[in-house]
Structures are given as C-alpha cells and as structure tokens.
Amino acid sequence: MASLACKLVAQVAFKAGGDVFHHLLANKPQHLAKATPGFIQGCDLHQGNFGTNGSVVQWKYTLDGKEQTAKMAIQDIDKLYKNLLVTIHVETKDGVDFVTWTIEYELINPDNPHPLSLLNFYIDFTKQIETHIFGP
C-alpha cells in the first residue's frame, strides 16, 4: 500500500522578534528547558555544533503528558509515519514577526492519526517562549 503524503502548517505571531526566536532555537537550544520547562526538559548535542549543518541534537520533551525523546532529524516515528519532517520559518509581515511551523509527513496507513498534537505542541511552545521573555 502506498503511503499518504500530508502537510500541516501553523503560523504564530511572535512579539519578541523573529531574530530572538531564531537565535534561541538555532544557537541556544539548551536554554529552552529553562524557558519552557513544561514542554522541553533538555537537549543534548551528540554531533557538531548548535546551529550548524550536520549537528545532531537529542531533545527530551513532554507531548500529551508523556515524556518523549527525539533527535533533531526525525526519519521514522513509531509505526505511524513513513517520514516526518518539521521545518521552522521566521518572517516579518507588515511589521509583525511570525513563526511558521510546517510538518510534512507520510502516513503509512490512512487510518493512522495526523500529528495534530505535535503541531499544537509547537504552537504552545512558541507562545511559552514569548511568555518567558515578556512575562505573563
């Protein structure tokens, strides 16, 4: 049976500025556990340097109340997806910075769930970073 290619996209306004978001995610991911402890519990660099091509980072995070681990380059997720790729894009539109999360994936079986909880995780994670910077 052929896999089913799918895409989910979410765009979140980010008051702290796209440069701040990019800097944290690309160059200081180890600080995300302090900024978003309910989402990220840690990250370990396994290869290369933070923010450089070819680096490998293992994340410890909580999704749907369950502790998870994943490497930055995700190839196969359980038995649900043949491939899963998450991309992040930061852009400014009309003076407002936006963080766009895109999840491209292939369902192995059309009855498998779409990764909506993962997309919601990224939306809430982005908002939590902003709250950490500005306060509640």
Side-chain angles (χ1 to χ4, degrees):
M1 173 182 240
S3 58
L4 180 63
C6 301
K7 182 191 284 190
L8 295 172
V9 179
Q11 190 171 66
V12 181
F14 192 73
K15 293 184 288 189
D19 290 343
V20 171
F21 186 85
H22 181 266
H23 179 74
L24 274 172
L25 206 58
N27 301 316
K28 303 279 186 190
Q30 65 275 26
H31 294 295
L32 294 174
K34 184 186 286 186
T36 63
F39 296 92
I40 305 291
Q41 287 74 53
C43 69
D44 298 314
L45 182 66
H46 288 269
Q47 180 179 322
N49 297 305
F50 288 121
T52 62
N53 286 336
S55 63
V56 177
V57 178
Q58 182 170 349
W59 294 91
K60 296 176 186 117
Y61 62 98
T62 302
L63 179 64
D64 292 336
K66 297 177 185 169
E67 291 185 9
Q68 309 278 332
T69 60
K71 291 202 176 173
M72 217 170 199
I74 300 172
Q75 295 298 320
D76 295 304
I77 305 295
D78 296 325
K79 306 272 186 240
L80 301 175
Y81 313 107
K82 181 178 177 185
N83 292 302
L84 187 139
L85 174 67
V86 178
T87 56
I88 309 155
H89 180 71
V90 179
E91 64 184 319
T92 303
K93 293 180 186 176
D94 299 322
V96 178
D97 290 319
F98 290 93
V99 175
T100 303
W101 293 91
T102 304
I103 304 173
E104 296 179 74
Y105 57 100
E106 293 179 64
L107 293 172
I108 293 173
N109 180 325
D111 295 330
N112 287 350
H114 295 269
L116 293 172
S117 61
L118 185 59
L119 186 64
N120 287 328
F121 171 90
Y122 291 133
I123 292 167
D124 293 340
F125 167 76
T126 304
K127 292 176 182 178
Q128 183 62 43
I129 291 172
E130 187 174 78
T131 299
H132 176 76
I133 293 168
F134 288 112

